[in-house]
Amino acid sequence: MREASLDRLKAFLTLLPSMILVGVFVYGFIGNTIWTSMTDWGGSGALALEPEKNFIGLANYVDLFTGFLGGGFRQDLVNAVYYSVMLLVGAVGLGMFIAILLDQKPKGEDLLRTIFLYPMSLSFIVSGTIWRWLLAPQGGVNVLPTYVGLEPLTFSWLSSQASILVFNWQDILRILLYLVSFVLILIGLFAMRKDTGKAMKRWLVPGIVIGACVWLFGSLIPDAYMMEEEHGFNMATLGIIMATIWQYSGYTMALYLAGFNGISQDLRDAAMLDGASEVGYYRYIAIPMLKPITISAVIILSHISLKMFDLVFAMTGPDNAETGHPALNMYLTTFRANDFAQGAAIAIVLFLVAAMFIVPYLVSQYRQRGRR
Amino acid sequence: MKGFAKLLLVFAAVLLLGAPQVSQADELAGDLEIFSWWAGDEGPALAALIDIYKNQHPNVNVINATVTGGSGVNAKAVLKTRMLGGEPPDSFQVHAGQELIGTWVQADRMEDLTPLFKEQGWMDVFPEGVIKLIGTDKGIWSVPVNIHRSNVMWYVPANLKKWGIEPPKTWDDFFAAADTLKAAGVIPLSLAQNWTANHLWESVALAALGADNWNALWSGKLAFDSPEGVKAWELFGRVLEYTNADASSLSWQQATDMVIDGRAAFNIMGDWAAGYMSTTKKLAPGTGYGWIASPATGGQFMFLADSFGLPKGSPHRDNAIAWLKVLGSKEGSDTFNPLKGSISARTDSDLSKYNKYLQSAAADFSQDQVVGSLAHGVAANETFMGGFASVMEMFLKSKNATAAAKACQQLADKAGM
């Protein structure tokens, strides 16, 4: 008994320095950033030795989401959503596909694996510059057809001004509620298989009620912004998304390949004996078994997509409304416009979005451990 | 023994006599750290200045702390972290005007250079208009080393002759010529990435507002969302219709190339474009390429200047002041500017050292009305400029003149102008 408590004390003392350091340099700084985001630190005199800071509450956040000058930030936020979705779908999908191909043990698998993983080792600035040249409007891939005597392509990967899926920022609250109702109904439909009654009560009915309410009484919901302001998926971001997928699909491939190799050969043989096809084996056995890998890939890629900075910087430059990203905007607001409070507010918004991805994951991890 | 003592005595006397003389020639020693963003094409010009300094003060160890990146994009961020961390360089480069005043002077981080200006007689050799723009009622804040002009329209005379058009004196002339050009499959005005749109905007706005209203705008006497301000954005929107669609992925050099290649007729860019065309492209000023003040801004010289200031707490203050003296001197100015492709801020510079374009710019500078550039830091502080870039982004997308004008006014309020 005494020995055990001594051990505990030792463990505590060993951990203490890192606890203090993490407390100050991670949580303390997060706290400081939150505090800064609620002050008016910015404008003239922002760089004085003792700058004047006054508490102004949530005004910076209100400015970002509904203010006149926050338009750029709102487009960046929309871009970030598209970047995240595309990167997840693209990198996880492509990585999984390559891993399945390599799992067939083709000749020279080692070499191929190295080739696919290689982009990961390049810095974003380098790969961004390469891709910028490749996708330039009057060069790179667009001149390829001229080598066989055809007209050059005019596809503008990085400078297109067209956008699709355009919506009005005025309606953002309505759109979000529709999205909530859609997700609830979707979860409900999946849960139907297990327990119909619970699925109806917990997911389907609330989802349908919310959807119907917004549809019927949507005009009662206040506008988020005083005038029309359109945001959408800019075609100019296509090139950047492509480069990001190129860079990260090798990484997800490595994750999946390790997973596939970890599945015992016996299981595969057994499945084959039962008459499973190749497709069936991956569809019903291998991929479901790798769910933890999929989840960690999604977590890692989603926070990478929220930190996108250097690739955008290298490919389309800092001042491009079409391809902007909140992380870039934060840097420019803080260190170019000297608006420290506003920059801190953008940082906190990004922090909250990242938390949205990671907190559910952490919670489910703790729950699993508790069950064991 | 006696002989040795005598020898010592003589030796000491020689030392006593000699020492003051040596230290008079060279009283400065230690380090001098010069912080700038002049690398690449601009590096040799800076090196020439450092050479002059080293000849005058051989005992000073000059540290050339250059952070690369055009227009100081990276250098400014590095400078900010250094200044906030209490580690200022001895002297740093900054765009003259509000970029310095609205940021570092407002924050009380700079030393007043008025005594230096008086001591060196610079009050008489620098034009009054320039001194007004780099100073406030509390003092003068930087030593300008060069003057660039921002409102210049570039073209290739042979091409214009081929298409049968004249360089436009007003925007109406331009619009008339633009339709002819479009019919011939030529882009009337080439444009590059975002900051060049800011650059184009200031030339168009100066044309729409006139110099007096332009100055009134920055001193807070004219609102951005006044009818005049909105008109500037409307004219800018019309001009944009005649530019290339792939602008956002081009550098300013590529936009200039479009004019040289004959794919575009005109380009509005600062006069560093003249340096690019003469030095890199080997075109002769006047025949290979031509220039005119951007439409409806004849008689107005929109200037920007690189300058050096003296931060409070500079670790080697005396060395830094000696450096500023070199920068402001006639010798320093006339060594630096022909290499950099700019003109001297001094009125007494030796024009025979400059090429044909620079001579014409110097002539304009001495007689035109001088106004400050927005895109290059003279007219407004960094808070406004940072926000203006995002207003411009939104305008390029929405083309909504009223909204852009209103956003500018909000921005001006926020930036305390």
Side-chain angles (χ1 to χ4, degrees):
Chain A
M1 189 67 199
R2 251 177 94 197
E3 212 160 277
S5 70
L6 194 67
D7 273 353
R8 284 191 125 173
L9 186 70
K10 271 189 203 157
F12 179 74
L13 284 179
T14 321
L15 286 177
L16 192 65
S18 63
M19 271 158 68
I20 293 173
L21 288 178
V22 169
V24 172
F25 289 101
V26 177
Y27 296 99
F29 283 8
I30 290 175
N32 189 36
T33 309
I34 293 176
W35 157 246
T36 304
S37 75
M38 294 186 184
T39 64
D40 61 352
W41 185 13
S44 53
L47 295 163
L49 273 178
E50 293 292 335
E52 195 186 318
K53 297 187 219 176
N54 303 306
F55 181 77
I56 53 166
L58 295 175
N60 282 320
Y61 296 93
V62 174
D63 249 18
L64 283 179
F65 285 98
T66 62
F68 210 63
L69 295 172
F73 168 76
R74 293 190 281 271
Q75 176 63 53
D76 290 351
L77 201 63
V78 172
N79 283 348
V81 171
Y82 287 117
Y83 281 139
S84 303
V85 173
M86 300 282 204
L87 175 63
L88 284 181
V89 173
V92 172
L94 190 65
M96 190 191 283
F97 181 67
I98 298 173
I100 289 175
L101 291 185
L102 287 183
D103 196 33
Q104 311 305 311
K105 311 278 184 271
K107 242 187 195 163
E109 190 208 333
D110 292 349
L111 182 69
L112 287 173
R113 204 165 46 198
T114 316
I115 289 173
F116 286 124
L117 197 53
Y118 195 69
M120 181 75 185
S121 68
L122 283 180
S123 112
F124 262 141
I125 286 287
V126 175
S127 60
T129 310
I130 296 170
W131 278 93
R132 182 203 182 126
W133 288 332
L134 281 178
L135 300 178
Q138 280 129 24
V141 293
N142 282 340
V143 297
L144 279 185
T146 57
Y147 289 112
V148 289
L150 297 171
E151 282 288 296
L153 295 173
T154 53
F155 203 93
S156 33
W157 299 94
L158 294 176
S159 55
S160 163
Q161 291 181 337
S163 48
I164 52 169
L165 299 172
V166 174
F167 66 94
N168 193 339
W169 190 262
Q170 263 182 335
D171 302 328
I172 188 72
L173 294 175
R174 268 152 278 184
I175 292 171
L176 283 178
L177 284 174
Y178 272 128
L179 211 65
V180 169
S181 113
F182 178 72
V183 170
L184 286 177
I185 292 173
L186 213 64
I187 296 176
L189 287 179
F190 269 105
M192 279 276 254
R193 270 189 249 158
K194 277 187 207 154
D195 182 347
T196 319
K198 209 169 150 194
M200 289 290 274
K201 219 167 47 187
R202 267 209 190 165
W203 307 108
L204 273 179
V205 174
I208 292 168
V209 168
I210 291 178
C213 280
V214 180
W215 190 56
L216 288 173
F217 310 111
S219 51
L220 293 180
I221 300 171
D223 286 350
Y225 189 55
M226 68 231 181
M227 52 182 249
E228 281 199 14
E229 184 182 276
E230 295 191 326
H231 297 295
F233 174 65
N234 289 318
M235 303 306 269
T237 52
L238 272 181
I240 293 175
I241 290 171
M242 246 165 59
T244 326
I245 292 177
W246 175 80
Q247 185 123 5
Y248 275 102
S249 55
Y251 171 67
T252 46
M253 176 213 72
L255 284 181
Y256 276 114
L257 203 55
F260 286 141
N261 287 337
I263 298 173
S264 83
Q265 188 64 32
D266 296 347
L267 199 65
R268 187 177 184 137
D269 292 342
M272 295 297 165
L273 265 183
D274 284 346
S277 62
E278 280 288 321
V279 178
Y281 166 70
Y282 286 107
R283 166 83 181 76
Y284 293 106
I285 297 172
I287 293 172
M289 278 183 77
L290 297 187
K291 205 169 134 201
I293 289 185
T294 309
I295 290 176
S296 49
V298 167
I299 301 272
I300 290 168
L301 289 178
S302 59
H303 96 262
I304 283 172
S305 73
L306 289 174
K307 290 192 303 197
M308 286 252 279
F309 182 95
D310 19 18
L311 201 58
V312 184
F313 204 103
M315 288 181 78
T316 54
D319 287 313
N320 196 328
E322 245 73 52
T323 59
H325 191 282
L328 197 54
N329 194 337
M330 172 182 79
Y331 174 78
L332 295 176
T333 309
T334 313
F335 293 106
R336 196 173 68 182
N338 298 335
D339 199 342
F340 293 89
Q342 191 88 297
I346 299 177
I348 293 301
V349 170
L350 271 178
F351 173 69
L352 291 178
V353 177
M356 253 163 50
F357 281 102
I358 289 174
V359 168
Y361 171 72
L362 290 180
V363 168
S364 74
Q365 289 286 304
Y366 274 117
R367 270 202 194 154
Q368 270 175 14
R369 208 171 293 169
R371 256 180 247 150
R372 270 178 223 158
Chain B
M1 199 63 202
K2 224 176 171 187
F4 182 66
K6 228 181 211 173
L7 200 70
L8 262 183
L9 207 74
V10 172
F11 193 65
V14 169
L15 262 185
L16 268 177
L17 279 173
Q21 277 164 359
V22 170
S23 68
Q24 238 167 29
D26 252 338
E27 77 235 57
L28 295 174
D31 291 341
L32 170 71
E33 188 185 13
I34 302 164
F35 187 92
S36 77
W37 57 80
W38 282 329
D41 292 345
E42 294 160 324
L46 177 63
L49 277 179
I50 292 178
D51 280 346
I52 296 178
Y53 185 85
K54 276 192 169 154
N55 282 339
Q56 289 177 7
H57 312 288
N59 289 349
V60 175
N61 174 32
V62 179
I63 303 165
N64 182 1
T66 300
V67 176
T68 57
S71 216
V73 278
N74 307 323
K76 281 182 209 163
V78 175
L79 179 68
K80 261 169 222 175
T81 47
R82 284 191 60 172
M83 291 286 272
L84 288 176
E87 192 203 344
D90 293 315
S91 177
F92 64 83
Q93 179 189 3
V94 66
H95 284 137
Q98 287 299 321
E99 187 177 305
L100 175 69
I101 293 167
T103 311
W104 298 114
V105 175
Q106 197 97 24
D108 196 21
R109 296 295 195 100
M110 304 302 291
E111 282 196 40
D112 179 13
L113 298 175
T114 314
L116 186 68
F117 270 67
K118 290 211 170 116
E119 177 202 315
Q120 298 287 314
W122 290 344
M123 298 304 262
D124 305 321
V125 293
F126 288 122
E128 207 181 319
V130 171
I131 289 188
K132 220 172 30 209
L133 283 163
I134 59 174
T136 58
D137 50 355
K138 292 204 187 76
I140 301 171
W141 303 104
S142 62
V143 179
V145 281
N146 63 2
I147 297 286
H148 277 298
R149 186 178 195 175
S150 106
N151 60 326
V152 196
M153 187 177 230
W154 307 95
Y155 56 87
V156 175
N159 285 347
L160 290 198
K161 204 179 250 177
K162 196 171 72 191
W163 298 317
I165 49 175
E166 294 277 312
K169 290 225 159 51
T170 66
W171 281 109
D172 286 332
D173 290 353
F174 172 80
F175 292 134
D179 292 328
T180 326
L181 289 167
K182 264 195 164 171
V186 177
I187 293 161
L189 185 69
S190 67
L191 186 68
Q193 70 208 49
N194 202 296
W195 71 264
T196 66
N198 299 348
H199 187 107
L200 177 61
W201 183 85
E202 66 180 20
S203 286
V204 174
L206 179 63
L209 292 164
D212 292 336
N213 273 342
W214 174 260
N215 288 334
L217 205 58
W218 303 111
S219 54
K221 288 181 194 117
L222 179 71
F224 284 86
D225 52 357
S226 62
E228 291 91 340
V230 176
K231 230 191 269 164
W233 281 100
E234 279 167 356
L235 179 62
F236 180 63
R238 250 188 101 192
V239 172
L240 278 184
E241 288 169 22
Y242 294 96
T243 57
N244 44 317
D246 60 351
S248 64
S249 59
L250 302 181
S251 65
W252 71 264
Q253 287 97 333
Q254 285 173 310
T256 310
D257 285 345
M258 288 173 74
V259 174
I260 299 170
D261 301 347
R263 278 178 288 152
F266 300 105
N267 177 237
I268 291 181
M269 185 38 58
D271 57 11
W272 44 92
Y276 173 68
M277 287 188 279
S278 329
T279 315
T280 313
K281 293 284 167 181
K282 310 273 180 246
L283 296 173
T287 50
Y289 65 91
W291 63 89
I292 183 174
S294 68
T297 63
Q300 285 145 12
F301 191 104
M302 189 177 263
F303 98 103
L304 59 124
D306 290 305
S307 68
F308 279 82
L310 183 63
K312 279 188 177 167
S314 157
H316 310 93
R317 191 170 172 274
D318 292 341
N319 295 354
I321 288 176
W323 166 247
L324 295 178
K325 282 180 190 164
V326 171
L327 295 179
S329 69
K330 190 170 175 213
E331 186 199 359
S333 199
D334 282 344
T335 310
F336 176 82
N337 283 305
L339 288 169
K340 170 80 164 69
S342 49
I343 59 172
S344 168
R346 293 172 67 106
T347 47
D348 60 350
S349 80
D350 179 6
L351 283 178
S352 63
K353 290 181 176 171
Y354 296 81
N355 76 17
K356 202 175 153 197
Y357 167 73
L358 292 173
Q359 285 174 2
S360 97
D364 287 345
F365 184 61
S366 61
Q367 64 191 30
D368 285 359
Q369 188 171 6
V370 174
V371 293
S373 148
L374 163 70
H376 304 282
V378 184
N381 63 23
E382 288 192 324
T383 305
F384 186 90
M385 282 163 67
F388 188 81
S390 61
V391 172
M392 178 58 74
E393 285 179 35
M394 295 320 288
F395 181 78
L396 290 178
K397 236 178 80 177
S398 68
K399 306 271 160 48
N400 186 339
T402 329
K406 273 193 182 144
C408 280
Q409 184 52 42
Q410 281 207 353
L411 195 58
D413 294 341
K414 189 176 162 190
M417 288 164 39

